[in-house]
Amino acid sequence: MLYAITDGSCQPNPHGVCACAFIIKNNKSKVIYKFSKRIGAGIGYTNNVGEYTALLEVLRWFSSNEEKELTIASDSKLVINQMNGKWKVNGGAYYEVYLRAKGLAASLIDEGKVLRYNWVPREYTLEADSLANKAISGKETR
């Protein structure tokens, strides 16, 4: 089983420079992969776009991995509650990225993979937050 810690950032929020990041850990809490990238800037970029893009990127990574189970941790209550079906999706700047993440998650589940979404306090996502903020300034990790 793998664990992903995700985060997105937009500075300033909204309509600033937007980035996302995730960290993958194995079941012994050892970091096995880090990723961050700058997404874009300006109108239409928000913190929620960053958060959902981080989720989409970790799902893309997981789709090419042989592991069957992934627990995704995020400090975004919006992302976690929407992906768990507890909150409605009413549109917004992040809507298109949400649709892509939801579709990819559904196809992974159809392939027999198990996805779990857990909300965690911000303190738990500080390393991913740091990677996202570095990506905003042009220092991406892959």
Side-chain angles (χ1 to χ4, degrees), residues 21 25 31-32 61 65 69 89 92 94 100 105-106 134:
K25 294 183 177 185
V31 173
I32 60 170
W61 181 88
N65 191 285
E69 294 184 40
V89 180
Y94 66 90
R100 284 184 273 162
K134 287 177 183 174

Side-chain angles (χ1 to χ4, degrees), residues 2-7 20-25 33 35 51-65 70-73 104 108 115 117:
L2 298 175
Y3 300 89
I5 302 161
T6 66
D7 203 18
C20 68
F22 68 85
I23 298 166
I24 302 291
K25 294 183 177 185
Y33 190 79
F35 174 92
E51 296 282 0
Y52 261 110
T53 303
L55 172 62
L56 179 61
E57 291 294 343
V58 80
L59 291 172
R60 286 177 176 158
W61 181 88
F62 186 56
S63 71
S64 64
N65 191 285
L70 177 67
T71 297
I72 300 163
L104 181 51
L108 290 169
L115 297 171
Y117 305 97

Side-chain angles (χ1 to χ4, degrees), residues 9-70:
S9 184
C10 187
Q11 297 176 10
N13 186 43
H15 314 309
V17 179
C18 195
C20 68
F22 68 85
I23 298 166
I24 302 291
K25 294 183 177 185
N26 66 14
N27 60 359
K28 297 179 182 176
S29 296
K30 180 182 177 193
V31 173
I32 60 170
Y33 190 79
K34 293 182 180 183
F35 174 92
S36 68
K37 77 173 185 177
R38 183 176 166 169
I39 302 164
I43 302 292
Y45 289 97
T46 67
N47 191 57
N48 290 335
V49 169
E51 296 282 0
Y52 261 110
T53 303
L55 172 62
L56 179 61
E57 291 294 343
V58 80
L59 291 172
R60 286 177 176 158
W61 181 88
F62 186 56
S63 71
S64 64
N65 191 285
E66 293 182 15
E67 288 285 334
K68 295 292 183 190
E69 294 184 40
L70 177 67

Side-chain angles (χ1 to χ4, degrees), residues 21 44 86 129:
K86 293 180 180 178
D129 178 68

Side-chain angles (χ1 to χ4, degrees), residues 92-136:
Y94 66 90
Y95 187 66
E96 290 299 319
V97 185
Y98 160 80
L99 290 176
R100 284 184 273 162
K102 196 70 172 172
L104 181 51
S107 68
L108 290 169
I109 291 166
D110 287 347
E111 293 172 11
K113 293 198 174 200
V114 176
L115 297 171
R116 293 179 193 86
Y117 305 97
N118 292 332
W119 178 84
V120 294
R122 180 167 166 65
E123 296 79 37
Y124 190 75
T125 65
L126 291 177
E127 189 177 0
D129 178 68
S130 176
L131 288 174
N133 287 327
K134 287 177 183 174
I136 283 175

